[in-house]
Amino acid sequence: MLKEIDPLLNAEVLGALRAMGHGDDLIVADMNFPAESVARRTVLGRLLRIDAPSARVARAVLSVYPLDGFVDDGAARMEVIGEPSRVEPVAAEVQAEIDAGAGRPWPMIGIERYAFYERAKAAYAVIQTSERRFYGCFALRKGVIAPDA
């Protein structure tokens, strides 16, 4: 255990988050996502796991991970097939964690399912969660931490 580090963040996940640079993508995926095969194509090349729901994983990750504020797609969700503007409850829960972590509204963009798969393959890493609800898949682009003033 480490002080002020969320206990969900295991050593493998912390190592990957620390190694990532500005602009690298992290995918937080539900149980139905083809996480193992997609993760093999990422920069990290192997799957990370956190056995918790997507929103809880997002909260843990965002406690140490800055989102990229220089782009419009710093946070994204997989769109519902045929209803791209529909926001599933799991996405609303993750949106609340993103907003809380940022201290302000930080809207996620929607990404069509197959385009999301392509973004995931180009990501730095994939974390598979124990989320069983559909469309519990998110892309979080790493930002920067400003130097002390």
Side-chain angles (χ1 to χ4, degrees):
M1 296 295 294
L2 299 171
K3 292 171 82 175
E4 299 185 34
I5 301 288
D6 191 305
L8 281 185
L9 299 176
N10 59 57
E12 286 186 302
V13 170
L14 282 171
L17 296 178
R18 173 67 176 92
M20 293 174 69
H22 179 227
D24 283 338
D25 266 334
L26 174 69
I27 304 301
V28 175
D30 64 31
M31 290 183 70
N32 292 298
F33 188 77
E36 183 70 43
S37 61
V38 169
R40 280 189 231 127
R41 298 178 181 189
T42 64
V43 173
L44 187 63
R46 62 184 161 72
L47 182 61
L48 302 171
R49 294 184 187 274
I50 298 179
D51 291 326
S54 292
R56 181 64 184 90
V57 172
R59 180 186 325 149
V61 167
L62 293 169
S63 72
V64 297
Y65 184 94
L67 288 176
D68 191 343
F70 295 106
V71 295
D72 293 335
D73 63 347
R77 64 175 174 78
M78 182 187 286
E79 292 177 349
V80 175
I81 295 171
E83 298 180 70
S85 62
R86 183 169 141 198
V87 176
E88 291 291 302
V90 65
E93 292 167 18
V94 170
Q95 182 67 69
E97 295 297 342
I98 290 169
D99 294 349
R104 64 177 177 83
W106 191 305
M108 282 189 282
I109 67 158
I111 300 176
E112 185 274 331
R113 177 181 169 206
Y114 291 107
F116 189 94
Y117 290 162
E118 292 307 309
R119 181 166 171 174
K121 291 172 190 173
Y124 187 90
V126 175
I127 297 173
Q128 187 168 40
T129 69
S130 60
E131 183 62 64
R132 294 184 61 192
R133 293 175 289 178
F134 297 148
Y135 301 102
C137 299
F138 307 91
L140 305 173
R141 186 157 290 153
K142 190 172 184 182
V144 297
I145 299 173
D148 292 336

